[in-house]
Structures are given as C-alpha cells and as structure tokens.
Amino acid sequence: MIKRILAGGVALAVLGLGGFGLYAWHPAFDPITPPMADSFAPEQIEQGRVLAAAGYCATCHTAAGGAPFAGNYPMKTDFGTIYSTNITPDAETGIGNWSEAAFERAMREGVDRSGAHLLPAFPFDHFTKMSDADIAALYAYIMTSVEPVKAEHKANELPFPLNQRILQAGWKMLFFKSGRFEPVADKSEAWNRGAYLVEGVTHCGACHTPRNALGAEKTDQPYAGAAIDDWIAPPLTAANPSGVPWSAAEFYQYLKTGTTIYHGSAAGPMAPVVHAGLKELPDSDLAAIGTYLGDIVGAGGADPAANPAVAQSLAAGVPQADYRKDEGERLYATACAACHYNSQQITEGRPDLGINSATRLADPTNLIHVMLNGISADQGMAGVVMPGFGTALNDQQIAAIAAYLRASRTPEAPWADLETKVATIRALGAMAH
Ligand code: HEC
Ligand code: HEC
Ligand code: HEC
C-alpha cells in the first residue's frame, strides 16, 4: 500500500484569509458506548466487510506483524513518518467510542472525533464520494466484526509546523472538495458504478494520478500515471504505453486474476490491490470498473491478436546464446528466454516483454524491480512464481538485459542511467530486509 506520499498542509499563506478560523474549526462529537452487534443487519455488516477490503483499510491500518486494523503502519513522506491510527472498536485507543456521525465525518471531511483535521495520507479525498449506505456499512462492519485491540498510536514524526493539524485546513481549502459521487446522466449504469468505485472506495487515483508539490492529486490529470512507493503506477489513460491498448475486457481480466495474456502481471504495490482488495468485489463491480476505465482509455475492442505490436514482438523470436552478440541478448537468452520465449504465440502467464508496459514506460523502474526480486506466488497470477535475479546477476548485467529488451522489442528511445537505477532499486530491497 502507499508508503510514500507528500504530506500536505504547508499552506501557511491561506491562514491570512478571512473566515479561515471558522472554516478550520470543527466541534467534537461526544464519546458513545460501543454499539451492540445486533444493532446492525447481517447483510449490512457483510457489505461493510467487502467495502473494507475494496478500500484496503486493513492494508494501511495494520503494522507488520501487528493486529488487523490496530494501526501504526508507517507511511513515509518527504517530511517525516505518519503512522496510521487504530481503527479497531477498542474504546480507549481505537474508534470504539465513535458515533456513526463521527465516523462519517472522518470519511467525508477528514476530521476526527475530537474535531482535529486528519492528514491526507488517509484518502478521505476519495472516501468522501461514497454513498451514505456504504459508509454506514463500513461502520457496522468495523464496530461489530473487527476485534477490539488496545494499541496506542505512535506519535507522527513530523517537524513543526507540519505537526500542527490546524494547518490541514489550509490544505483542504486549496485542494479538497468534499461531496458524494454524482452520476453522469448520459453514461450507462455500469459506467457510473465503475466511476463510483474507482473514484471512491478503491481510490485508484491515489496511486495512478500524479500529485503536486503539496501532495494533492492533480485533478486536471486524472490517472495520468505517477511514481509511488518507488514503483511507477502506469497511466490508466490513452497515454498508457502498453503495445496493446487497455480495453474494458483487459481491465476486468487483470483486476480479477492479477494477470492478462496481453498485459502481464500485477506486481509490487498493485498486487495487494488485486489480491487483498478487489477480490472481494462481485464480478459485476469489476466489470463496471473495466467499463469506466476502458471508456477513459477510449481504445474500443479491437482484437489484440491482430495488433501489429504483438506481431512485431513475436517476430523478435528466440534469441541465441551466441557469444558474438550483444551482452544483453546473451544474458536474456540464458536467464529469461526459457520462460519468456517469444515463439509463435503469446503464452498465458508468461508476459510477452515486447508489449508489456514494464519495457515501454519512460522509466525502467518496474522492469528492474521484477528482474531483481521476481514475482512471488501471492503477486501477479495467483500461485505462479517468477524467480528473482538479484543474487545471480550484477547491476551491469541487469542493465544490459533491460537495454536489450528495450532496443529489440519496443519502438521506444533507450533508457538513460540504467546501471545507476538498478543500484538504487537494489539498495531499496536491501533496506527493506
Ligand atoms: C493509504 C492508506 C490508508 C487507507 C487505504 C485507509 N486509511 Fe484510514 N487512515 C490512514 C492514516 C495515515 C490515518 C491517520 C491520519 C492522521 O493521523 O491524520 C487514517 C485515519 C483514519 C481514521 C481516523 C481515525 C482516528 O483515530 O482519528 C479513520 C476512521 C479511518 N482512517 C478509516 C479508514 C477506513 C474505514 C478505511 C478503508 C475504507 C481506511 N481508513 C483506509 C491511512 C489509510
Ligand atoms: C497502492 C498504489 C496503487 C493503487 C491503490 C492502485 N494501483 Fe494500479 N498499479 C500500481 C502500481 C505500482 C502498478 C505497476 C505494477 C506492475 O506493473 O506490476 C500498477 C499497475 C496497474 C495496472 C497495469 C498497468 C500496466 O500498463 O501494466 C492497472 C491496469 C492498474 N494498476 C489499475 C488499477 C486500478 C483499476 C486501481 C483501483 C481499483 C488501482 N490500479 C489501484 C499502484 C496502485
Ligand atoms: C522460470 C521462468 C521465468 C524466468 C526464467 C523469467 N521469468 Fe519473467 N516471468 C515469469 C512468470 C511466470 C511471470 C508472471 C508471474 C505472475 O504473473 O505471477 C513473469 C513475469 C515477468 C515480468 C512482469 C511483467 C509485468 O506485467 O509486470 C517481467 C518484466 C519479466 N517477467 C521479465 C523477466 C526477465 C527480464 C527475465 C530474465 C532476467 C525473466 N523474466 C525470467 C517467468 C519467468
């Protein structure tokens, strides 16, 4: 899940604006006794469970090795570390004494029970779009089905004045628009359902939309692609560089299974989105997300098999381990081609590297991550593994394979500084272990 995000709230200038105090101030809600499990219908609780998965609440609110939803998952920002809060129904350290109104205000306005502003590392800018029924269902689920856990929130490591929550009011004034999702009249029901899910609970834009210097999504460039957690979240628009354009059917397949024959695998931060988040949604919802995003890409439903990029990549053929050839080709032939063989057809579960966004993005980061660390069984296609080559190949060798694939399989310009990038990404892996 998102670990690195810019902290907003440096918007000191707006403090001078008239009416700011009024805008910034919110009353506290009185504490309540945690509601009884039988105050909610079972169907409502079940709906909340599905939505909690689709909103990745547990992914962000669970520390490594910690109890689910008990918080203290660290999110690094350029200014310091923010720890997610305990949202179990523990009355003392969690949200057990929050009324439904207090919970709804947090989701819609980014304000906690005491009236303090919450940081936008919590994606309330998306959750604000959810329906009343869906927010009520989330509340019902958390209050009745999440185990209450006593866990004190670690203090955020933000320097003064960024640790002053009142400043968040300035950030919100500049960048935050609260309000429920509004359906678009001339679009289909499926399109509107997809838009509701993408813009709201599943908050795809939190990773796929670029952010400004204060950490707010650039609303004029929706889904245009962004760097996130030291990966690249590719554009989900016509600017996506994959050889085969993303259609509604391809989106559906990828989000349902973590892989498609023409677009490869969901790895890195995208893996939990698919395998922990979206997997609880009914097929009709995944299809609706496909309808919405397919329309944004606008490619229509042309047969991918007839796509010239596919023919071109296949024509690159099986490389020979011939020592007179380029080093990248030689290494590719020995380390990769056994599985990524570029024979006569595109193979299920073995991404064709000529049409994949990993080889076509302007930034080689995703390709390098996969080469160094592989794809584990819980990422990409469920149960299928690609081995990592971080120990077998050095930086220069990984860079040579990347350069070879880029030159032989894609029409894109060569990548600069490949070896340095490999070293940087390798160092990130070493830090994480
Ligand atoms: C991308 C990470 C992320 C995701 C996803 C996320 N949260 Fe959070 N949430 C946070 C962070 C970080 C905070 C604390 C913000 C702060 O300290 O101002 C927070 C705060 C909250 C709060 C305020 C709690 C308090 O004690 O003040 C609530 C309620 C909450 N989240 C509910 C949810 C629910 C429900 C979901 C899923 C639908 C969810 N969150 C998904 C990161 C996340
Ligand atoms: C936590 C950050 C994050 C969130 C949230 C997220 N994505 Fe991603 N997404 C990524 C990253 C990083 C990649 C690249 C990973 C890879 O190529 O394996 C990616 C890859 C993708 C791809 C493949 C693109 C390509 O050209 O290969 C699609 C499609 C996609 N995401 C759709 C979505 C949708 C739809 C949502 C919301 C339901 C979503 N993502 C939410 C980070 C995220
Ligand atoms: C043992 C077989 C095997 C070898 C060897 C292998 N791969 Fe893979 N590779 C796979 C499989 C299987 C997947 C899909 C994994 C999944 O979906 O879970 C994959 C996925 C990928 C992806 C992901 C594409 C995407 O959509 O994000 C890239 C890139 C990749 N491989 C590159 C390479 C390179 C470069 C080499 C050589 C250094 C290599 N692979 C060696 C089996 C292999």
Side-chain angles (χ1 to χ4, degrees):
M1 210 32 53
I2 312 179
K3 291 193 209 96
R4 294 188 60 86
I5 224 174
L6 294 166
V10 210
L12 284 162
V14 296
L15 277 172
L17 295 177
F20 181 80
L22 252 180
Y23 182 88
W25 183 83
H26 295 272
F29 280 107
D30 287 337
I32 58 154
T33 321
M36 295 284 130
D38 61 9
S39 22
F40 304 98
E43 309 80 69
Q44 189 186 27
I45 295 172
E46 169 58 14
Q47 188 189 342
R49 185 188 68 78
V50 170
L51 290 164
Y56 334 118
C57 320
T59 317
C60 269
H61 281 276
T62 308
F69 299 94
N72 289 333
Y73 171 88
M75 292 177 75
K76 296 201 181 72
T77 75
D78 286 354
F79 308 103
T81 302
I82 298 168
Y83 295 94
S84 66
T85 47
N86 179 346
I87 57 165
T88 73
D90 177 58
E92 257 172 69
T93 60
I95 61 168
N97 64 9
W98 286 37
S99 61
E100 191 170 327
F103 178 80
E104 178 171 9
R105 184 175 67 176
M107 300 292 283
R108 290 210 185 286
E109 305 291 336
V111 172
D112 77 4
R113 190 184 64 77
S114 76
H117 290 280
L118 291 161
L119 302 164
F122 167 41
F124 59 83
D125 51 337
H126 291 277
F127 296 153
T128 189
K129 306 221 166 156
M130 292 175 74
S131 68
D132 293 347
D134 279 355
I135 290 185
L138 271 174
Y139 180 76
Y141 168 71
I142 291 173
M143 287 300 175
T144 61
S145 309
V146 171
E147 193 65 36
V149 175
K150 206 164 286 307
E152 291 295 344
H153 180 228
K154 280 192 200 162
N156 292 338
E157 291 151 17
L158 291 176
F160 182 85
L162 293 180
N163 56 1
Q164 301 301 299
R165 288 185 178 269
I166 190 76
L167 291 188
Q168 285 307 315
W171 188 91
K172 285 178 176 170
M173 199 177 225
L174 290 172
F175 305 122
F176 171 60
K177 197 165 154 287
S178 78
R180 292 162 185 76
F181 173 76
E182 282 167 29
V184 177
D186 62 351
K187 297 286 189 184
S188 69
E189 203 175 305
W191 188 99
N192 274 303
R193 176 71 185 160
Y196 169 75
L197 291 165
V198 166
E199 290 174 18
V201 69
T202 69
H203 58 273
C204 314
C207 293
H208 286 273
T209 298
R211 293 176 188 264
N212 67 21
L214 291 178
E217 285 174 34
K218 294 181 179 167
T219 45
D220 59 340
Q221 297 173 38
Y223 314 113
I228 184 88
D229 292 355
D230 308 307
W231 282 72
I232 303 296
L236 303 178
T237 63
N240 184 287
S242 301
V244 174
W246 284 89
S247 61
E250 284 287 300
F251 279 120
Y252 167 78
Q253 181 68 20
Y254 182 92
L255 299 173
K256 171 86 188 157
T257 64
T259 187
T260 88
I261 184 164
Y262 293 107
H263 287 104
S265 312
M270 190 58 199
V273 169
V274 170
H275 294 298
L278 305 181
K279 83 167 200 294
E280 299 295 336
L281 289 175
D283 274 6
S284 57
D285 277 351
L286 296 179
I289 292 177
T291 300
Y292 174 61
L293 292 174
D295 184 47
I296 289 181
V297 173
D303 178 11
N307 188 298
V310 172
Q312 211 171 14
S313 184
L314 291 177
V318 184
Q320 304 300 314
D322 177 334
Y323 280 71
R324 282 164 304 184
K325 286 189 184 152
D326 157 67
E327 185 195 13
E329 177 165 10
R330 218 162 62 220
L331 287 166
Y332 179 80
T334 46
C336 321
C339 298
H340 299 278
Y341 27 67
N342 289 89
S343 54
Q344 288 77 32
Q345 58 182 3
I346 308 260
T347 320
E348 160 96 17
R350 303 273 177 83
D352 180 276
L353 303 180
I355 56 175
N356 201 282
S357 70
T359 47
R360 287 174 167 249
L361 284 162
D363 184 313
T365 293
N366 292 1
L367 177 61
I368 295 170
H369 268 295
V370 169
M371 279 199 268
L372 286 174
N373 305 314
I375 300 182
S376 55
D378 59 350
Q379 304 202 328
M381 195 176 187
V384 172
V385 169
M386 148 145 177
F389 290 84
T391 44
L393 300 175
N394 66 28
D395 294 352
Q396 184 259 325
Q397 291 169 320
I398 297 273
I401 296 175
Y404 160 72
L405 282 171
R406 181 85 163 172
S408 66
R409 300 286 195 283
T410 81
E412 313 291 338
W415 282 310
D417 303 326
L418 265 172
E419 214 176 310
T420 318
K421 282 194 177 119
V422 178
T424 309
I425 294 170
R426 194 190 283 276
L428 289 171
M431 264 165 20
H433 297 123

